């Protein structure tokens, strides 16, 4: 038998953390890494944050899980906090971002079904998007690395070039029920949608009776310096999926919707065994206690600006490697002139963890609690890594 005990679906690297503290990870030998990956934008409060630990410990000792067959006071309180803070009127809690997207897609489909328009089942989506790895969510992407070997998939998505409003306009017919888009693409290479593009999608949805769905699984929950990225644009969706930072490391996701969009979601149409259980809600509330604060969000903006400035000042010293910086807040991308995955692996040997993305971009997604000293350390480590790096020659 050659297969490993853990199904070999991950390309795991040599880093094997056993402990985390603040913005750092440590392995069993005590080696330290500055964590500017944050579990891919999950560890918003860093590692071992006392408020998050305290909330989870207290809840674990009180009530860890109940079925959604019973009343859920903690879930209702968390939902109300999100409703009070956003465009949404109602919330469904999940265990992950992919499940939140599944709920968003189902909510859109049921809306049109309940309105007597079951033919409006197709969704417009955009190139290089990442919406998850379930069968439904890979069906709404155009990335071969996600789809290969799993086709045929449901043919319910029309994938268009990201940012191409004319293509979106031309693609609308009576089969289209919704538009799904990341306001800021993450895995696709940290690419923010323009104001004109996102406003254009909102206008198209309003004109044709479609539902606009924002995927804020990566860009939401304080990552950009606002609680949600749509606030930067002043454009509200009808449905929004969130996850990652809302649990700070505990698996929680949510689908937020207006009452109009959720008109078809009645008893029996959807459910989850673990979604929104008391332990998850304790984690989510603890994260919101800290992140949903104007001073904290302003700190994220300030640190994001300082990190961007540091990267922009670094680029001219290594202009054979780096091209530009893009992104918002602490969701930044460093565009490379060669394979970003190779550099991400090289940078680990210089004590900093980052994440590769599409379009040869290095994702910098540090904990939102970073301070100026962490920004300086990150720039120093990336500069050291760049000085010692020799890109592989193209074959």
């Amino acid at each position: 038998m050659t297969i490993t005990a853990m199904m070999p679906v991950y390309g795991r690297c040599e880093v094997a953390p056993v402990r985390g503290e603040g913005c750092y990870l440590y392995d069993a030998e005590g080696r330290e890494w500055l964590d500017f990956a944050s579990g891919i934008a999950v560890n918003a409060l860093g590692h071992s944050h006392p408020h998050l630990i305290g909330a989870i410990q207290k809840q674990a000792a009180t009530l860890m899980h109940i079925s959604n067959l019973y009343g859920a006071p903690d879930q209702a309180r968390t939902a109300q906090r999100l409703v009070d803070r956003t465009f949404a009127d109602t919330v469904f809690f999940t265990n992950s971002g992919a499940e939140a997207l599944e709920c968003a897609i189902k909510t859109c489909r049921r809306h049109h079904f309940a309105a007597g328009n079951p033919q409006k089942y197709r969704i417009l989506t955009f190139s290089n998007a990442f919406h998850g790895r379930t069968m439904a969510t890979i069906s709404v992407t155009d990335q071969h690395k996600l789809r290969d070997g799993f086709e045929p998939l449901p043919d319910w998505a029309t994938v268009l070039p990201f940012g191409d409003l004319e293509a979106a306009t031309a693609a609308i017919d009576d089969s289209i029920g919704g538009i799904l888009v990341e306001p800021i693409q993450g895995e696709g290479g940290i690419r923010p949608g323009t104001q004109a593009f996102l406003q254009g999608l909102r206008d198209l949805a309003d004109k044709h009776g479609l539902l606009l769905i924002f995927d804020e699984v990566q860009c939401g929950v304080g990552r950009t310096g606002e609680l949600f990225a749509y606030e930067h644009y002043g454009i509200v969706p009808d449905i929004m999926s969130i996850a990652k930072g809302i649990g700070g490391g505990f698996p929680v996701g949510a689908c937020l919707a207006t009452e109009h969009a959720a008109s078809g979601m009645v008893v029996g149409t959807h459910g989850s065994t673990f979604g929104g259980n008391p332990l998850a809600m304790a984690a989510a509330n603890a994260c919101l206690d800290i992140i949903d604060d104007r001073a904290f969000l302003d700190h994220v903006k300030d640190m994001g600006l300082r990190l961007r400035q540091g990267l922009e000042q670094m680029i001219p010293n290594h202009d054979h490697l780096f091209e530009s910086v893009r992104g918002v807040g602490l969701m930044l991308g460093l565009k490379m002139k060669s394979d970003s995955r190779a550099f991400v692996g090289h940078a680990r040997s210089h004590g900093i963890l980052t994440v590769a993305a599409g379009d040869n971009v290095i994702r910098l997604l540090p904990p939102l609690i970073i301070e100026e000293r962490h920004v300086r350390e990150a720039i120093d480590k990336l500069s050291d890594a760049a000085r010692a790096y020799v890109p592989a020659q193209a074959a």
Side-chain angles (χ1 to χ4, degrees), residues 301-357:
K301 284 184 177 177
D302 185 35
M303 290 300 103
L305 179 61
R306 288 169 189 265
L307 180 57
R308 174 186 284 274
Q309 290 173 336
L311 293 168
E312 289 175 341
Q313 290 170 4
M314 178 187 75
I315 287 176
N317 297 326
H318 311 283
D319 58 2
H320 64 297
L321 295 179
F322 306 124
E323 187 173 301
S324 60
V325 182
R326 58 204 199 196
V328 182
L330 288 174
M331 185 179 182
L332 294 180
L334 181 58
K335 168 74 172 166
M336 291 199 70
K337 295 179 178 177
S338 59
D339 178 29
S340 62
R341 294 184 188 278
F343 186 83
V344 166
H346 171 77
R348 288 197 294 270
S349 66
H350 289 264
I352 183 167
L353 303 180
T354 58
V355 190

Side-chain angles (χ1 to χ4, degrees), residues 72-82 84 93 281-282 285-286 289:
D74 295 326
Q75 194 178 125
R77 183 167 81 88
T78 313
Q80 191 62 54
R81 289 184 75 172
L82 290 169
D84 290 343
F93 289 104
M281 295 300 92
N285 273 303
D289 288 344

Side-chain angles (χ1 to χ4, degrees), residues 45 49 51-56 59 72-84 93 221 227 242 245-248 250 252 276-293:
L45 302 182
H49 193 283
H51 184 63
L52 180 57
I53 289 175
I56 291 174
Q59 189 61 52
D74 295 326
Q75 194 178 125
R77 183 167 81 88
T78 313
Q80 191 62 54
R81 289 184 75 172
L82 290 169
V83 165
D84 290 343
F93 289 104
V221 196
L227 188 60
I242 66 172
I246 189 66
F250 196 92
V252 190
N277 78 11
L279 207 50
M281 295 300 92
N285 273 303
C287 288
L288 286 172
D289 288 344
I290 293 173
I291 296 172
D292 190 16
D293 175 83

Side-chain angles (χ1 to χ4, degrees), residues 163-165 193-203 233 235:
D164 192 337
L165 190 58
T194 66
Q195 180 76 29
F197 175 57
L198 295 176
Q199 183 62 59
L201 296 183
R202 177 69 270 175
D203 294 342
Y233 297 92
I235 300 166

Side-chain angles (χ1 to χ4, degrees), residues 2 30 47 69 74 81-82 91 110 131 167-168 183 193 205 217 219 249-250 265 281 300 306 321 338 341 353 373:
T2 57
H47 302 282
L69 293 171
D74 295 326
R81 289 184 75 172
L82 290 169
V91 180
R110 280 288 301 190
H131 298 299
V217 168
C219 63
F250 196 92
M265 300 302 280
M281 295 300 92
V300 173
R306 288 169 189 265
L321 295 179
S338 59
R341 294 184 188 278
L353 303 180
R373 62 188 172 94

